[in-house]
Amino acid sequence: MRCIVNPAQDGHSGGLEFNEGRLVPCHESPERAAMVRDAFRAANLGPEEPARDFGLAPILAVHDAAYVDFLRTAWERWTAAGRGGQALSFVFAAAGMRRDVPPDDIDGLLGFYGFDAGSPIVPGTWAAAYGAAQSALTGAALLGAGERAAFALVRPPGHHAGRAVFGGYCFLNNAAIAAQALRDAGHARVTVLDVDYHHGNGTQDIFWTRGDVQVISLHADPRQEFPYFLGHADEHGAGDGLGATLNLPLPWGTGWTVYAGALDTACAAVEAFGPSAVVVSLGVDTWEGDPISRFTLRHEHFRHIGARIQALGRPTLFVLEGGYAVAEIGRNVVAVLQGFEGAGA
Ligand code: SP5
Ligand code: ZN
């Protein structure tokens, strides 16, 4: 399968996130993508392909226009206020406060559109997020051209980014943008299957009332884990989307046996929905050694995940999400892709 790459993504770098009481270098770094690219090359999985540029329209098909405008101009507005370093919020619009009047001030805007203090905006953030979305769109176009599968090697990741909200290292929801593009290319039903350790709150937000895009997420229980405020088992969607959202929260310490059962449940739901394309939000932060996560999947289990997804028998776009054990991310991601391709031992 082809691996879609975009060098603009490396420009989102050097930021600090608020973690356990102090600012530390972001876990989500350019080195992650380099490790995945190297492992993809070493495994001879297929050619690399540069991202094409589909413009802003497919981004605006899932994100709010004022939000996109904020992201595009946030760094300029930050520097216009005399700041350097990185833009990170110190205030958030929590329960009981107004959500209907966006502030004019950049500090207020960061808290209006952001939901955590872990997703700094730096000079290259917009170009990187835009580039990642274009990579995902290129992957969707490859499926349209008849490819059975494609891999969008993107960062920053996307599944925590909602219609008008950033956080969890995510700014534009690459998987959701690709899923919408597949819908617009004629796929009547599309599933987003999210196997990242964290709940894909942004993807759920974007498609919550949609019956044509199914959103399934296997993740650490939000009672215990980030993003904390969405991803419970009783969230099923609303309106036309009622029944098209499926959350499978799992406790800290979850290993392969329990995970495989949940993946079977997820795959049965995919079959019942009957999509003509699947977008996989592919995080490997479920790995036992991940520095910010608490599942216990082993390397060999990633191959099983890929094989199970392959058995769905649908055109499949893999979009990279999380995975923060930098030395291991490449081999774990590639194991999923190899399991899908049925390659190797
Ligand atoms: C795409 C993705 O995987 N985003 C994840 C964002 C998680 N950000 C919160 C990280 C919190 C780290 N705290 C770790 C405490 C465990 N010692
Ligand atoms: Zn994650």
Side-chain angles (χ1 to χ4, degrees), residues 17 19-20 157 159-160 168-170 196 198 226 285 292 322 324:
E17 64 174 293
N19 185 58
E20 300 181 355
H159 75 149
H160 294 302
Y169 316 142
C170 304
D196 185 277
H198 303 95
F226 185 94
D285 37 10
I292 63 168
Y324 306 100

Side-chain angles (χ1 to χ4, degrees), residues 62 158-159 173-183 189-196 200 202-204 206-207 210 212-218 244-247 266 269-270 273 275 277-282 309 312 315-319 321:
V62 308
H159 75 149
N173 194 317
N174 309 308
I177 290 165
Q180 181 63 46
L182 288 164
R183 280 286 297 106
R189 289 175 162 238
V190 176
T191 292
V192 180
L193 174 59
D194 189 328
V195 298
D196 185 277
T203 314
Q204 175 170 313
I206 287 166
F207 296 118
R210 296 270 299 268
D212 55 335
V213 180
Q214 182 186 42
V215 176
I216 304 179
S217 182
L218 289 76
T245 290
L246 174 63
N247 283 321
V270 177
F273 185 73
V278 174
V279 177
V280 178
S281 267
L282 177 56
I309 293 169
L312 292 169
T316 302
L317 172 62
F318 291 93
V319 179
E321 300 282 0

Side-chain angles (χ1 to χ4, degrees), residues 48-199:
E48 283 165 44
E49 174 148 333
R52 285 172 251 163
D53 190 345
F54 297 85
L56 271 178
I59 295 172
L60 293 170
V62 308
H63 287 289
D64 175 74
Y67 170 67
V68 171
D69 207 50
F70 158 76
L71 286 181
R72 198 172 51 73
T73 59
W75 183 256
E76 294 167 30
R77 299 182 71 150
W78 183 254
T79 55
R83 314 276 178 68
Q86 60 172 14
L88 190 67
S89 195
F90 66 90
V91 66
F92 296 98
M97 300 175 105
R98 295 275 297 262
R99 292 285 331 163
D100 57 329
V101 188
D104 296 328
D105 181 70
I106 181 63
D107 286 317
L109 281 170
L110 286 164
F112 182 78
Y113 286 121
F115 75 86
D116 77 349
S119 310
I121 293 174
V122 297
T125 299
W126 167 252
Y130 180 86
Q134 300 305 329
S135 291
L137 287 163
T138 303
L142 288 175
L143 297 195
E147 298 275 341
R148 165 78 167 91
F151 171 48
L153 200 186
V154 301
R155 65 169 293 280
H159 75 149
H160 294 302
R163 207 179 74 82
V165 65
F166 71 96
Y169 316 142
C170 304
F171 301 91
L172 295 174
N173 194 317
N174 309 308
I177 290 165
Q180 181 63 46
L182 288 164
R183 280 286 297 106
D184 291 337
H187 289 274
R189 289 175 162 238
V190 176
T191 292
V192 180
L193 174 59
D194 189 328
V195 298
D196 185 277
Y197 172 78
H198 303 95
H199 176 244

